[in-house]
Amino acid sequence: MSGSVDTASPGARSLRICVIGDSIAAGTGDQRCLGWHGRLASRFITDRADLTVYPLGVRGDTSEDVARRWQAEAEARLPTVFPRALIFQFGLNDCAMRTWDDGRSERRVSVERSLECTRATLASAAARYPTLMIGPAPVDDGRPGPQLAAGVQQRIRNDDIRDLDGRLEVTAQGVAVPYLSVFAALEGDARWRRATLLGDGVHPSDEGYEVLAGLVDGWPAWQALLAVAKGGS
């Protein structure tokens, strides 16, 4: 990862992280309004550590939406004097199939376009900041997603998410960005499945975010970021 910081400089332990992505990055559905990142930040912050996490998830955002906005949002929150990093989490909405009452149906973002946007976003971000990416999570695909508007239905299939997750991982590896695939682990976790059933089918209840937080917390790339705020290099 690029963007190393002189840890002896003033403010070198005041780590700033932007989490940019979709509704899972935003923590939608969490009754405690913490998401995975709020849980990890609250556990980590002590008298010795200085960590600020900016949750910049936007409900419904796709890879195209993130590609348009990430740079301006990061620059507004990550001054160069402090160590900083980006974590991206998107892909779920790219897989959504929308169907209109008149019979029209289309995927929100094609696979090819998703990979194109992801590659451009990660390559550009990694040239400026330490950058990580977390893959999309499984849903309860036995029911439609939340109603968008009158006359429009949306459905997201786990088979499509699984396929895109694998392709996103390869794309991230191609630009040397650490990627955490959470799909298989969450799909096989009874707590995550229960949380999505209790939620709207796409966004889990708070228990689901607790499970996701545990996966991120065990990720060496995440721990490497936190080492800066702990006073490491």
Side-chain angles (χ1 to χ4, degrees):
M1 294 181 288
S2 67
S4 62
V5 173
D6 176 6
T7 56
S9 65
R13 289 168 55 193
S14 184
L15 176 61
R16 316 293 176 90
I17 300 175
C18 288
V19 180
I20 304 177
D22 55 25
S23 54
I24 302 301
T28 302
D30 183 0
Q31 295 93 325
R32 296 178 62 194
C33 301
L34 291 172
W36 64 262
H37 37 72
R39 285 172 164 78
L40 293 184
S42 65
R43 296 174 195 169
F44 175 76
I45 293 174
T46 67
D47 291 339
R48 295 190 312 106
D50 185 354
L51 172 67
T52 300
V53 177
Y54 295 102
L56 300 172
V58 175
R59 192 167 181 174
D61 259 16
T62 66
S63 59
E64 291 182 319
D65 299 316
V66 170
R68 282 191 289 265
R69 69 180 174 90
W70 77 265
Q71 187 169 344
E73 297 204 358
E75 288 177 350
R77 293 166 177 85
L78 303 178
T80 57
V81 68
F82 300 116
R84 60 257 177 88
L86 299 181
I87 301 178
F88 291 100
Q89 186 177 31
F90 58 81
L92 186 66
N93 294 301
D94 292 46
C95 299
M97 292 295 299
R98 288 181 172 176
T99 302
W100 284 260
D101 286 350
D102 62 9
R104 289 180 296 123
S105 181
E106 66 178 13
R107 179 172 168 134
R108 286 197 64 193
V109 183
S110 70
V111 172
E112 294 75 16
R113 179 61 176 158
S114 293
L115 300 182
E116 177 186 353
C117 289
T118 300
R119 186 178 300 106
T121 294
L122 296 183
S124 182
R128 296 168 171 81
Y129 312 97
T131 300
L132 311 179
M133 183 170 183
I134 299 171
V139 301
D140 172 21
D141 63 2
R143 52 178 162 159
Q147 181 72 34
L148 294 172
V152 185
Q153 294 290 329
Q154 177 167 285
R155 183 157 237 150
I156 305 175
R157 304 280 186 185
N158 279 330
D159 285 347
D160 294 330
I161 302 172
R162 184 185 297 107
D163 176 70
L164 183 60
D165 176 53
R167 294 171 185 266
L168 291 176
E169 183 167 19
V170 171
T171 299
Q173 290 171 346
V175 292
V177 169
Y179 183 94
L180 178 64
S181 176
V182 298
F183 183 91
L186 294 177
E187 188 179 40
D189 193 298
R191 295 166 298 169
W192 176 269
R193 295 196 302 271
R194 180 169 59 243
T196 54
L197 286 171
L198 290 172
D200 59 15
V202 174
H203 309 105
S205 63
D206 55 349
E207 183 180 32
Y209 286 103
E210 190 69 39
V211 176
L212 181 53
L215 295 178
V216 178
D217 197 31
W219 187 22
W222 166 257
Q223 291 297 330
L225 286 184
L226 298 186
V228 174
K230 291 176 180 176
S233 58

